[in-house]
Amino acid sequence: MSVWENILGKKDQAIGEVAGTEGGIIEIFVYPEHFSKIRVGSILIIDSENQKPMGLVLKLAHSSRYGTFTPMKMTRTEISNAYPDIERYHLFVSTIAYTSYLDDANIVRHGRAGPPKLHDLVYLIKSSDFDALLSFFRPNNKWDFTFLGYFFAEGATKWEFRDFLLLYRDFFKRFENEKDNILQTLIRAISRAKPELLSALLEEISEILGW
């Protein structure tokens, strides 16, 4: 079983489903029990019929399903005990930038294929999914950060980039011996996508990765 079959083949591991799409933005309805697992910068993959869209989380939202809010003056534990089904009345939404897709040969391509459909199941690529992360960051055995162009184009700032680096810091630190190649490839991608932020983003890289 391939790394992608292992992730997409477990329906009960889906963290949500597509709730809407417009241009390069995909809205995900997140199942309440999985909301705490997602971070800004998380990589999600959508189990569409053909190519599988992928993207980075831009923002997270949690609101009332019916547009009203009533203060309770209770701790989270007290609320859970008093209203065990309260999350049924809440909306948990993740907005992702559509940056990449998994093609028919199970190779990651940084670019956009067709849009997903409503209710397509969505899966989280966890920080512990080493082989999947390697396939995303180094498709065809070459480091490739061109997906950042789509991330910035859909509204990511240096703060979302910082969250992204913090989330995958341990992964990148495993490749200290390749740091010069990684840095060169990162700088090339950032220079094309967001040249005005290059200096600020390099500071984030230096602080978080120590490179």
Side-chain angles (χ1 to χ4, degrees), residues 178-201:
E178 297 186 46
K179 69 178 182 180
D180 289 342
N181 189 7
I182 293 172
L183 278 172
Q184 289 174 9
T185 311
L186 261 175
I187 290 170
R188 190 181 307 120
I190 293 169
S191 296
R192 291 177 59 189
K194 210 72 172 175
E196 67 274 22
L197 282 182
L198 181 59
S199 178
L201 299 183

Side-chain angles (χ1 to χ4, degrees), residues 51-115:
Q51 289 89 1
K52 315 296 185 186
M54 306 174 77
L56 273 65
V57 173
L58 273 171
K59 58 184 177 181
L60 297 163
H62 176 196
S63 61
S64 168
R65 187 185 295 269
Y66 302 107
T68 60
F69 174 80
T70 303
M72 293 185 174
K73 295 184 178 180
M74 300 167 69
T75 67
R76 176 55 55 189
T77 300
E78 289 170 339
I79 292 172
S80 297
N81 289 337
Y83 306 98
D85 64 342
I86 192 170
E87 291 184 342
R88 291 175 50 201
Y89 304 97
H90 292 177
L91 277 176
F92 299 85
V93 178
S94 169
T95 300
I96 70 171
Y98 185 176
T99 68
S100 317
Y101 66 94
L102 187 70
D103 71 11
D104 294 335
N106 280 342
I107 296 173
V108 173
R109 307 290 183 183
H110 295 317
R112 295 168 179 167

